[in-house]
Amino acid sequence: VVMALQSFVDCTLTWDDMKWFRSVTKMKIVLKGVQRWEDAVMAADAGLDGIVLSNHGGRQLDFARSGLELLAEVMPELRKRNLSIEVLMDGGVRRGTDIFKAIALGANGVGLGRSAIWALGSYGTEGVEAYLQILKDEFELCMKLCGVKSVADIGPQYVSCDFLQAHVTAAPARTLAVGQYVPLKSAL
């Protein structure tokens, strides 16, 4: 599977190629895997219709930043330059509150990958429908708890990004083993 997926990656693509794609088609062009605000700006300058802020599920680049971190960085830079491009966030969306946070930070939408696949694999079409209903219910509850009446009213004032990039946290102490564990005695 990894080898098959790698065949879709072309490391020779450049921004000139993006401009060429734009010149030969009227189809919408969306670039997935944007990891830096500079690339978001270049995508807008190249005439692309949208970008997907994504670390590809964290599997290929397990050290890459999450879509939410990228969103908090990319959107202010796009606004500062008055650039208009659709911005989607992919990765880490598990609850309706995740969708609310993404919209609050400026995303036009989110990708629902792994969780939807789990629902499909476990319960088929009905599982996906139930999953989407749960997301909708959680999203609407989040809106109500924040006092927001419409999606258009959701904004960055509802999300704190102060510690978004703080990946290092204190690990909880392992207290269960303290005083409970008796090591096996050696047979020797």
Side-chain angles (χ1 to χ4, degrees):
V1 173
V2 171
M3 295 303 287
L5 290 175
Q6 286 177 348
S7 69
F8 294 112
V9 177
D10 184 353
C11 297
T12 65
L13 285 174
T14 67
W15 289 108
D16 289 335
D17 294 318
M18 296 300 115
K19 291 175 186 172
W20 178 80
F21 286 135
R22 177 73 299 151
S23 76
V24 298
T25 185
K26 293 185 189 308
M27 292 188 304
K28 293 207 179 265
I29 300 174
V30 178
L31 181 64
K32 183 179 180 190
V34 173
Q35 279 277 301
R36 301 192 44 85
W37 71 263
E38 294 91 343
D39 289 334
V41 168
M42 291 173 83
D45 288 342
L48 301 186
D49 298 290
I51 57 173
V52 181
L53 305 176
S54 175
N55 63 5
H56 305 289
R59 293 181 307 280
Q60 287 78 10
L61 295 172
D62 59 354
F63 54 84
R65 296 180 301 153
S66 71
L68 201 61
E69 286 177 78
L70 298 168
L71 198 53
E73 174 186 295
V74 165
M75 294 311 297
E77 295 296 332
L78 290 174
R79 287 186 194 110
K80 184 174 13 175
R81 290 163 176 76
N82 201 28
L83 294 171
S84 179
I85 188 170
E86 293 285 311
V87 178
L88 304 173
M89 187 199 82
D90 186 34
V93 178
R94 303 286 183 265
R95 300 182 309 241
T97 54
D98 297 325
I99 299 169
F100 184 93
K101 289 182 274 188
I103 292 172
L105 291 176
N108 298 99
V110 299
L112 303 174
R114 206 171 296 168
S115 298
I117 291 171
W118 291 336
L120 179 65
S122 299
Y123 301 102
T125 305
E126 295 82 13
V128 175
E129 290 170 356
Y131 170 64
L132 293 175
Q133 185 62 50
I134 291 168
L135 284 178
K136 180 179 181 275
D137 293 344
E138 290 174 346
F139 180 75
E140 289 174 350
L141 177 61
C142 186
M143 286 179 62
K144 290 175 185 174
L145 293 173
C146 289
V148 176
K149 295 182 192 245
S150 76
V151 174
D153 296 333
I154 300 171
Q157 68 272 25
Y158 295 104
V159 180
S160 172
C161 297
D162 294 345
F163 299 102
L164 191 58
Q165 295 181 352
H167 293 277
V168 180
T169 59
R174 295 182 177 188
T175 57
L176 182 61
V178 177
Q180 303 295 321
Y181 175 71
V182 179
L184 294 174
K185 294 186 181 185
S186 173
L188 299 174

Short mmCIF file of all heavy atoms in Angstrom, two decimals, residues 146-170:
data_model
loop_
_atom_site.label_atom_id
_atom_site.label_comp_id
_atom_site.label_asym_id
_atom_site.label_seq_id
_atom_site.Cartn_x
_atom_site.Cartn_y
_atom_site.Cartn_z
N CYS A 146 -21.95 28.68 23.04
CA CYS A 146 -21.18 29.91 22.79
C CYS A 146 -22.09 31.10 22.51
O CYS A 146 -21.60 32.22 22.35
CB CYS A 146 -20.22 29.71 21.62
SG CYS A 146 -18.85 28.61 22.01
N GLY A 147 -23.39 30.86 22.44
CA GLY A 147 -24.33 31.95 22.17
C GLY A 147 -24.32 32.40 20.73
O GLY A 147 -24.67 33.54 20.43
N VAL A 148 -23.96 31.52 19.83
CA VAL A 148 -23.87 31.84 18.41
C VAL A 148 -25.14 31.35 17.72
O VAL A 148 -25.53 30.20 17.86
CB VAL A 148 -22.62 31.16 17.78
CG1 VAL A 148 -22.58 31.41 16.29
CG2 VAL A 148 -21.36 31.65 18.44
N LYS A 149 -25.77 32.25 16.95
CA LYS A 149 -27.03 31.89 16.30
C LYS A 149 -26.87 31.39 14.88
O LYS A 149 -27.75 30.72 14.36
CB LYS A 149 -27.98 33.08 16.33
CG LYS A 149 -28.39 33.44 17.74
CD LYS A 149 -29.37 34.59 17.75
CE LYS A 149 -29.53 35.09 19.15
NZ LYS A 149 -30.77 34.95 19.75
N SER A 150 -25.77 31.75 14.21
CA SER A 150 -25.57 31.28 12.84
C SER A 150 -24.08 31.02 12.61
O SER A 150 -23.23 31.58 13.30
CB SER A 150 -26.09 32.30 11.82
OG SER A 150 -25.20 33.38 11.70
N VAL A 151 -23.79 30.19 11.63
CA VAL A 151 -22.41 29.86 11.29
C VAL A 151 -21.64 31.13 10.93
O VAL A 151 -20.46 31.27 11.27
CB VAL A 151 -22.35 28.82 10.14
CG1 VAL A 151 -20.92 28.58 9.69
CG2 VAL A 151 -22.99 27.50 10.59
N ALA A 152 -22.30 32.09 10.29
CA ALA A 152 -21.65 33.34 9.90
C ALA A 152 -21.16 34.13 11.11
O ALA A 152 -20.24 34.94 10.98
CB ALA A 152 -22.60 34.18 9.06
N ASP A 153 -21.74 33.90 12.27
CA ASP A 153 -21.35 34.62 13.49
C ASP A 153 -20.16 34.00 14.21
O ASP A 153 -19.66 34.57 15.17
CB ASP A 153 -22.53 34.71 14.46
CG ASP A 153 -23.69 35.53 13.89
OD1 ASP A 153 -23.42 36.42 13.05
OD2 ASP A 153 -24.83 35.27 14.29
N ILE A 154 -19.73 32.81 13.77
CA ILE A 154 -18.61 32.15 14.42
C ILE A 154 -17.32 32.86 14.02
O ILE A 154 -17.07 33.08 12.84
CB ILE A 154 -18.53 30.65 14.03
CG1 ILE A 154 -19.81 29.92 14.42
CG2 ILE A 154 -17.31 29.99 14.67
CD1 ILE A 154 -19.90 28.51 13.89
N GLY A 155 -16.52 33.22 15.01
CA GLY A 155 -15.28 33.94 14.73
C GLY A 155 -14.18 33.59 15.70
O GLY A 155 -14.39 32.81 16.65
N PRO A 156 -13.01 34.16 15.51
CA PRO A 156 -11.85 33.80 16.32
C PRO A 156 -11.99 34.16 17.80
O PRO A 156 -11.25 33.63 18.64
CB PRO A 156 -10.69 34.57 15.67
CG PRO A 156 -11.33 35.63 14.84
CD PRO A 156 -12.69 35.13 14.47
N GLN A 157 -12.93 35.02 18.14
CA GLN A 157 -13.12 35.39 19.54
C GLN A 157 -13.59 34.21 20.40
O GLN A 157 -13.52 34.26 21.61
CB GLN A 157 -14.10 36.56 19.68
CG GLN A 157 -15.53 36.24 19.30
CD GLN A 157 -15.86 36.43 17.84
OE1 GLN A 157 -14.98 36.35 16.98
NE2 GLN A 157 -17.13 36.66 17.53
N TYR A 158 -14.02 33.13 19.76
CA TYR A 158 -14.51 31.96 20.49
C TYR A 158 -13.44 30.90 20.72
O TYR A 158 -13.72 29.87 21.32
CB TYR A 158 -15.70 31.33 19.75
CG TYR A 158 -16.89 32.25 19.71
CD1 TYR A 158 -17.22 32.93 18.54
CD2 TYR A 158 -17.67 32.45 20.84
CE1 TYR A 158 -18.30 33.80 18.50
CE2 TYR A 158 -18.75 33.31 20.81
CZ TYR A 158 -19.05 33.98 19.65
OH TYR A 158 -20.13 34.83 19.62
N VAL A 159 -12.23 31.16 20.24
CA VAL A 159 -11.16 30.15 20.36
C VAL A 159 -9.90 30.81 20.88
O VAL A 159 -9.49 31.86 20.40
CB VAL A 159 -10.86 29.50 18.98
CG1 VAL A 159 -9.77 28.46 19.10
CG2 VAL A 159 -12.11 28.90 18.38
N SER A 160 -9.27 30.19 21.87
CA SER A 160 -7.98 30.66 22.36
C SER A 160 -6.88 29.80 21.75
O SER A 160 -6.91 28.58 21.85
CB SER A 160 -7.91 30.55 23.89
OG SER A 160 -6.59 30.84 24.33
N CYS A 161 -5.93 30.46 21.12
CA CYS A 161 -4.80 29.75 20.48
C CYS A 161 -3.51 29.95 21.27
O CYS A 161 -2.43 29.66 20.76
CB CYS A 161 -4.62 30.24 19.06
SG CYS A 161 -6.03 29.90 18.00
N ASP A 162 -3.62 30.45 22.49
CA ASP A 162 -2.43 30.78 23.27
C ASP A 162 -1.46 29.63 23.42
O ASP A 162 -0.25 29.82 23.38
CB ASP A 162 -2.82 31.28 24.66
CG ASP A 162 -3.58 32.60 24.60
OD1 ASP A 162 -3.53 33.27 23.53
OD2 ASP A 162 -4.21 32.97 25.60
N PHE A 163 -1.96 28.43 23.59
CA PHE A 163 -1.08 27.29 23.83
C PHE A 163 -1.16 26.25 22.71
O PHE A 163 -0.78 25.10 22.91
CB PHE A 163 -1.42 26.64 25.18
CG PHE A 163 -1.24 27.58 26.32
CD1 PHE A 163 -2.32 28.20 26.90
CD2 PHE A 163 0.03 27.87 26.80
CE1 PHE A 163 -2.16 29.09 27.95
CE2 PHE A 163 0.20 28.76 27.83
CZ PHE A 163 -0.89 29.37 28.42
N LEU A 164 -1.63 26.66 21.56
CA LEU A 164 -1.83 25.73 20.46
C LEU A 164 -0.54 25.06 20.03
O LEU A 164 -0.52 23.89 19.68
CB LEU A 164 -2.46 26.47 19.27
CG LEU A 164 -2.97 25.62 18.13
CD1 LEU A 164 -4.02 24.62 18.62
CD2 LEU A 164 -3.56 26.50 17.05
N GLN A 165 0.57 25.79 20.07
CA GLN A 165 1.83 25.22 19.61
C GLN A 165 2.67 24.63 20.73
O GLN A 165 3.79 24.21 20.51
CB GLN A 165 2.61 26.27 18.83
CG GLN A 165 1.89 26.67 17.56
CD GLN A 165 2.66 27.69 16.77
OE1 GLN A 165 3.65 28.22 17.20
NE2 GLN A 165 2.19 27.96 15.57
N ALA A 166 2.14 24.58 21.93
CA ALA A 166 2.86 24.00 23.05
C ALA A 166 2.64 22.49 23.05
O ALA A 166 1.67 21.99 23.59
CB ALA A 166 2.39 24.60 24.37
N HIS A 167 3.54 21.77 22.42
CA HIS A 167 3.38 20.32 22.30
C HIS A 167 3.90 19.56 23.50
O HIS A 167 3.59 18.40 23.68
CB HIS A 167 4.11 19.81 21.04
CG HIS A 167 3.49 20.29 19.78
ND1 HIS A 167 2.42 19.68 19.20
CD2 HIS A 167 3.76 21.35 19.00
CE1 HIS A 167 2.06 20.32 18.12
NE2 HIS A 167 2.86 21.34 17.97
N VAL A 168 4.71 20.20 24.29
CA VAL A 168 5.31 19.51 25.43
C VAL A 168 4.48 19.81 26.67
O VAL A 168 4.29 20.96 27.04
CB VAL A 168 6.77 19.97 25.66
CG1 VAL A 168 7.38 19.26 26.83
CG2 VAL A 168 7.58 19.74 24.40
N THR A 169 3.97 18.77 27.25
CA THR A 169 3.21 18.93 28.48
C THR A 169 3.77 17.98 29.52
O THR A 169 4.44 17.00 29.19
CB THR A 169 1.71 18.60 28.28
OG1 THR A 169 1.61 17.25 27.82
CG2 THR A 169 1.08 19.54 27.27
N ALA A 170 3.52 18.28 30.76
CA ALA A 170 4.00 17.42 31.83
C ALA A 170 3.22 16.10 31.78
O ALA A 170 2.00 16.09 31.67
CB ALA A 170 3.81 18.09 33.18
#
